[in-house]
Amino acid sequence: MSDFPLPSIIDRDALQGCRALDAANLGFLFFIGWLTVPDIRARIEQIIEDVIRRNRGEVEFHQAVREVVESLEPVLRKYPQYAEHKIIERICEPERQIIFRVPWQDDRGEVHINRGFRVGFNSALGPYKGGLRFHPTVYLGIVKFLGFEQVFKNALTGMPIGGAKGGADFDPKGKSDAEVMRFCQSFMTELYRHLGEYTDVPAGDIGVGTRELGYLFGQYKRITNRYESGVLTGKSPHWGGSLVRREATGYGLVYFVEEMLRVRGETLEGKTCVVSGSGNVALYAIQKLQMLGAKVVACSDSDAAIYHKEGLDLETLKQLKEVERRRLRDYLQFHPSAKCLQPKELWNIPCDVALPCATQNELDAEHARTLIANGCKLVAEGANMPTTPAAIRLLHEAKVAFGPGKAANAGGVATSALEMQQNASRDAWTFEYTERRLQEIMRRVHNDCFAAAEEFGHPGNYALGANIVGFRRVAEAMLAFGVI
Ligand code: NDP
């Protein structure tokens, strides 16, 4: 059954490796026989129930697991060895979880205590890799959902990196630079012993940008007595970072969108877009959309959304959010004709393309209905899990093209892996070369997801394709390593 009528212009080389494996697995199939569909469904339900029971209250983690595991039914049918070796059960259990106290003093000398986390989820394909989030909502369930997603995303990039995530329930907003520095130093004083360029390589995420990474790296360097550039990514290009890393997630998202449109015979030229958030991902998505001829009319922060019908003024946005760390509503001081809305009202604005780039579960079923009614053709996730499962179902039913975060926002971590390559070879690449590599990777991620969705009978279902490709790459490595 075809979900979308699409021209067949996809390069299928990427699946050749998987097909070779199919042949090798045939003998095994004869040995254990096919599992029946009810067997597999029951097994999947059991896995999800066990995850919920063993990780009580971690609702975001349950949601992320359900989304992936339920989609793997056709994979288990075709490759029963994954069920036989309990690959899904093993992938759902993090390899290690570290929780630690982070004491620090504010500028008045008062002591504060935060909680730090690092979850090394899976290292089958390479060292643990994934960002650190500093936000008051951070708890183990958020870190685990992000780490779980990261496993498949990192596999999709085709780079040798495992999956991880970390962070703290610390809010850098409203803190002085000195307070943020003391917090980062305390955080790293505990975490450093678990890191290393061959062990675990954190990066930024919400609330962790180049300022925080600078303080974290400085403390790591000081207490280990090593200038180990490859231990963190997202560093400033002034001290070991890669050009394009700052832009990579937003740019990569737009390259992915370009590919989604290309298979439908369309381009971004003249399309009206809305982008939620106004942080790292959102700002550089807006920039690339504008470079490719789209008109971006709205963005948001946690306090407000801005609707500027004539098109957003990116320079003002960057000055407000990146440089001065101000609220988005201050944009109206520079553009009084723009409108200030509630953050969620962003999704009521008519658009061709909607890119949620702020946070998890920000686009729900009601928003999806409004987007569909207003003629939106494409939704792609810059943030991690910003679209609720009910909203995704509605978008699929309405044939709105949907790009899941683990594929569409993979450009950030892919460029982090390029940063690791540069650090390992003591090299620094040009902006143009690095951006070309990013673009090639995003095209490949798109084509791999597209081809897998087609192979498993759901053309155009990128969410399914991404889960299948990411899962199979990790699963094959885990099978090869035995029960570890
Ligand atoms: P930032 O901290 O730079 O920006 C987050 C933005 O989202 C801010 O503008 C913030 O507003 C806004 N925001 C937060 N909550 C809400 C809300 N409830 N409603 C509206 N806006 C909100 O983070 P990033 O841009 O780095 O990350 C954004 C998302 O992208 C996250 O889900 C992250 O995990 C994901 N991601 C990031 C990558 C990266 O390379 N940075 C890579 C892959 C995924 P305010 O300023 O008010 O806090």
Side-chain angles (χ1 to χ4, degrees):
M1 190 192 76
S2 172
D3 294 345
F4 296 92
L6 294 161
S8 184
I9 57 168
I10 293 298
D11 171 5
R12 294 187 176 75
D13 284 357
L15 282 185
Q16 289 309 314
C18 297
R19 292 202 177 109
L21 287 166
D22 292 353
N25 289 331
L26 267 179
F28 188 71
L29 281 185
F30 284 125
F31 176 63
I32 67 165
W34 288 96
L35 292 170
T36 65
V37 172
D39 283 348
I40 293 171
R41 291 226 171 107
R43 179 78 171 261
I44 282 174
E45 264 322 302
Q46 188 59 53
I47 292 171
I48 294 168
E49 267 176 38
D50 287 347
V51 166
I52 292 170
R53 185 177 48 78
R54 287 163 61 80
N55 303 276
R56 284 192 198 284
E58 297 174 2
V59 289
E60 297 83 2
F61 179 47
H62 305 164
Q63 182 183 335
V65 168
R66 183 178 285 284
E67 192 273 327
V68 171
V69 174
E70 281 184 343
S71 73
L72 294 176
E73 186 186 316
V75 182
L76 289 190
R77 230 170 26 238
K78 194 163 180 190
Y79 306 103
Q81 63 271 38
Y82 299 147
E84 178 75 2
H85 292 274
K86 297 204 173 169
I87 296 293
I88 300 185
E89 289 89 330
R90 281 197 264 158
I91 284 184
C92 290
E93 182 69 17
E95 289 175 13
R96 66 186 200 186
Q97 307 180 53
I98 299 148
I99 303 180
F100 51 100
R101 183 174 68 196
V102 190
W104 59 281
Q105 274 180 302
D106 67 20
D107 290 342
R108 291 174 297 124
E110 191 181 332
V111 175
H112 298 265
I113 295 118
N114 284 97
R115 188 170 288 175
F117 303 87
R118 186 70 181 165
V119 174
F121 225 104
N122 193 294
S123 59
L125 293 176
Y128 301 122
K129 182 89 199 82
L132 296 172
R133 177 177 290 191
F134 291 169
H135 194 270
T137 56
V138 167
Y139 79 108
L140 192 57
I142 292 273
V143 179
K144 275 157 76 175
F145 117 64
L146 290 164
F148 183 75
E149 290 279 294
Q150 199 81 44
V151 173
F152 305 99
K153 180 188 311 191
N154 293 4
L156 272 170
T157 66
M159 320 286 277
I161 41 178
K165 204 78 187 189
D169 58 352
F170 169 78
D171 191 355
K173 256 199 224 115
K175 306 284 189 305
S176 70
D177 284 353
E179 288 171 332
V180 170
M181 180 185 75
R182 286 195 290 276
F183 176 82
C184 289
Q185 290 177 341
S186 180
F187 183 86
M188 185 53 91
T189 301
E190 177 56 35
L191 189 64
Y192 86 96
R193 69 190 88 246
H194 305 290
L195 305 183
E197 63 177 310
Y198 297 106
T199 309
D200 187 350
V201 182
D205 190 75
I206 292 178
V208 179
T210 39
R211 174 183 62 169
E212 289 75 15
L213 288 166
Y215 296 142
L216 291 165
F217 185 74
Q219 184 72 350
Y220 183 87
K221 182 176 87 61
R222 182 188 194 190
I223 56 188
T224 59
N225 192 34
R226 279 200 310 270
Y227 201 109
E228 193 183 332
S229 294
V231 75
L232 288 179
T233 61
K235 303 182 293 294
S236 160
H238 297 304
W239 43 273
S242 173
L243 292 173
V244 189
R245 178 60 190 88
R246 182 183 57 173
E247 294 83 358
T249 309
Y251 277 23
L253 169 66
V254 176
Y255 289 138
F256 194 91
V257 168
E258 244 194 330
E259 293 303 304
M260 292 172 77
L261 289 171
R262 191 170 63 84
V263 294
R264 287 163 179 76
E266 295 188 50
T267 69
L268 274 165
E269 182 73 42
K271 295 270 187 304
T272 300
C273 307
V274 301
V275 176
S276 67
S278 49
N280 173 263
V281 179
L283 289 176
Y284 290 94
I286 294 170
Q287 183 167 73
K288 188 49 87 177
L289 285 168
Q290 292 183 343
M291 287 164 80
L292 294 173
K295 184 160 94 167
V296 190
V297 295
C299 69
S300 60
D301 66 8
S302 54
D303 168 62
I306 293 295
Y307 177 35
H308 194 170
K309 208 171 168 194
E310 289 73 39
L312 291 171
D313 166 6
L314 183 62
E315 284 320 303
T316 300
L317 279 177
K318 282 170 116 178
Q319 181 65 24
L320 285 174
K321 298 302 287 186
E322 267 190 337
V323 182
E324 298 175 26
R325 296 174 191 268
R326 284 166 66 184
R327 307 313 296 161
L328 187 61
R329 58 174 66 243
D330 293 346
Y331 182 89
L332 265 67
Q333 292 170 8
F334 303 88
H335 295 283
S337 66
K339 286 199 175 70
C340 188
L341 312 168
Q342 290 299 313
K344 298 258 178 186
E345 289 180 308
L346 181 92
W347 309 119
N348 298 342
I349 298 167
C351 63
D352 302 306
V353 172
L355 305 182
C357 295
T359 193
Q360 61 275 358
N361 292 327
E362 54 166 314
L363 196 167
D364 64 19
E366 196 189 319
H367 305 133
R369 277 190 206 98
T370 310
L371 284 168
I372 293 162
N374 285 339
C376 176
K377 297 184 185 72
L378 187 151
V379 174
E381 299 182 322
N384 286 311
M385 212 169 75
T387 319
T388 65
I392 296 172
R393 255 192 313 279
L394 287 170
L395 295 171
H396 275 141
E397 281 164 19
K399 311 254 184 286
V400 173
F402 174 72
K406 61 173 82 70
N409 72 32
V413 74
T415 309
S416 277
L418 299 180
E419 183 175 332
M420 290 164 76
Q421 280 185 29
Q422 292 169 74
N423 293 152
S425 58
R426 304 272 193 269
D427 201 357
W429 303 342
T430 63
F431 193 97
E432 292 70 27
Y433 175 73
T434 316
E435 191 183 3
R436 208 162 52 241
R437 293 282 304 267
L438 167 65
Q439 194 169 10
E440 281 163 12
I441 291 167
M442 294 313 295
R443 283 198 179 131
R444 207 170 52 225
V445 171
H446 171 275
N447 292 353
D448 290 353
C449 296
F450 186 92
E454 198 174 54
E455 174 167 324
F456 280 82
H458 294 274
N461 188 334
Y462 291 97
L464 182 79
N467 289 345
I468 291 174
V469 175
F471 171 76
R472 288 216 57 212
R473 287 188 183 151
V474 177
E476 285 303 323
M478 290 177 72
L479 277 181
F481 296 157
V483 181
I484 58 166

